[in-house]
Amino acid sequence: MAEDLLGQVLAQIGGDNPRLREVITSLTTHLHGFVAEVKPTEEEWLAGLNFLVETGRWCTPRRNEFILLSDMLGLTTAVDDVNHVGPEGMTPSSVEGPFHSPAPPRELGAWISHGPERQRATSAVVHGRVLDTDGTPIPGAVLDLWQANDTGLYDSQDDSQDDGNLRALLTTGADGAYWFRSIVPSSYPVPTDGTGGKLLTAIGRHPMRPAHLHVRITADGYRPLTTHVFLAGDPYLDSDAAFAVKDELVVEPVRRETEADLRRWQMDTPFEELEFDFHLAPADWKDGAAQ
Ligand code: BEZ
Ligand code: FE
């Protein structure tokens, strides 16, 4: 009877949802393969199940420890990759992460940093254009931006920051251009107090993410894009705890300090200029061509 155990389990999978049958069949097959390969002891298997129970206990309406585990194992990026194939020249997507929340609309050029981090950190002018994959500007595109402060915390994690700090909704002008003033992003650790952190420690991994900005761009007629912008030179680019870095998303910061630079970008102190263009795919692009 125990012969062909997997076959017996798979034979019981039914129901009227073919996609669910496909998913459960594949998952069951891979898990049986895992057991056959690893041969866990009963104590190890129970420890694994208890780890999942503990992970559930870390979840709250504002925190999903399973998403963090998925990020840390590269699974969120793998799911992102299979779902966001696009035309040549499209800016690659990258994971959303757990810290998106509603942002206030702001004028182009606005300062998005309103806390003490603005005095502590180096200032940044971030600018560029939203374009299609042929380089035609997209006016009226909305950029939903979010960024951690210089201590690595988002407003939603940190009671000392006002809601909406380091967040903005910006709308591109007729030339597809956007710009805003902020602080230079810093590298920071993912939350390590839960089971995600426990796993990283146990397998000898660091929790750091390279410095980045998050952005989600929407525009009529184009596919929404959620992605990151990373800073060249960051020591964690090659070992991002969330495996979200793609070469096309890395920008070289340029130090600006002349009178002309300060005047041009309405700055009082030297700053880093980050210039990044985003290229969106048409909404109807599917498997190789616009429909
Ligand atoms: C973030 O950058 O916000 C993030 C992404 C994945 C896991 C943890 C944090
Ligand atoms: Fe982040």
Side-chain angles (χ1 to χ4, degrees):
M1 186 71 175
E3 243 176 76
D4 193 23
L5 172 64
L6 174 60
Q8 290 175 48
V9 178
L10 296 185
Q12 300 267 345
I13 296 173
D16 54 11
N17 182 334
R19 178 63 171 163
L20 184 63
R21 287 200 304 270
E22 180 189 354
V23 169
I24 299 298
T25 298
S26 175
L27 183 64
T28 306
T29 305
H30 283 280
L31 288 174
H32 276 256
F34 166 79
V35 170
E37 182 184 321
V38 172
K39 296 185 176 53
T41 64
E42 281 154 333
E43 289 74 19
E44 285 170 337
W45 188 248
L46 191 60
L49 296 179
N50 285 338
F51 180 83
L52 295 179
V53 171
E54 196 185 339
T55 300
R57 292 207 177 103
W58 277 95
C59 296
T60 69
R62 292 183 77 168
R63 172 169 181 169
N64 186 330
E65 196 73 2
F66 285 102
I67 295 182
L68 190 59
L69 285 180
S70 166
D71 296 340
M72 289 173 170
L73 295 175
L75 291 167
T76 312
T77 291
V79 173
D80 188 63
D81 285 348
V82 295
N83 281 287
H84 294 278
V85 178
E88 178 83 18
M90 181 187 85
T91 300
S93 63
S94 176
V95 306
E96 179 171 307
F99 298 119
H100 178 264
S101 60
R106 300 189 196 274
E107 297 295 318
L108 289 178
W111 273 99
I112 72 166
S113 156
H114 295 281
E117 73 279 348
R118 187 155 144 194
Q119 271 66 54
R120 296 190 300 248
T122 304
S123 301
V125 169
V126 187
H127 69 101
R129 288 181 304 162
V130 180
L131 308 160
D132 70 12
T133 48
D134 296 326
T136 306
I138 304 178
V142 176
L143 294 93
D144 182 346
L145 295 145
W146 68 105
Q147 184 189 340
N149 75 1
D150 60 325
T151 67
L153 294 174
Y154 290 87
D155 58 353
S156 51
Q157 297 173 285
D158 178 7
D159 290 340
S160 78
Q161 291 185 54
D162 290 342
D163 279 357
N165 192 40
L166 293 162
R167 296 182 191 269
L169 286 179
L170 301 180
T171 304
T172 57
D175 51 359
Y178 74 89
W179 78 287
F180 62 97
R181 290 171 287 178
S182 185
I183 57 168
V184 175
S186 317
S187 50
Y188 67 83
V190 298
T192 53
D193 50 348
T195 46
K198 215 177 193 180
L199 178 65
L200 288 184
T201 305
I203 61 175
R205 272 178 55 188
H206 72 69
M208 298 302 290
R209 299 220 55 213
H212 60 272
L213 298 160
H214 295 268
V215 63
R216 176 172 167 79
I217 306 177
T218 47
D220 284 348
Y222 295 89
R223 204 199 277 179
L225 171 72
T226 300
T227 196
H228 284 60
V229 176
F230 295 95
L231 271 67
D234 189 286
Y236 300 108
L237 280 177
D238 292 329
S239 61
D240 180 5
F243 299 97
V245 179
K246 293 175 179 163
D247 290 348
E248 302 92 318
L249 301 177
V250 180
V251 63
E252 188 80 49
V254 181
R255 176 90 180 156
R256 299 289 185 200
E257 48 199 0
T258 67
E259 268 306 313
D261 290 331
L262 298 184
R263 214 172 319 112
R264 174 172 179 208
W265 294 106
Q266 301 170 35
M267 296 293 285
D268 298 329
T269 54
F271 60 95
E272 302 282 327
E273 178 184 353
L274 307 178
E275 180 174 6
F276 195 86
D277 290 343
F278 298 95
H279 294 267
L280 304 189
D284 58 0
W285 190 90
K286 219 172 176 32
D287 296 334
Q291 300 298 293

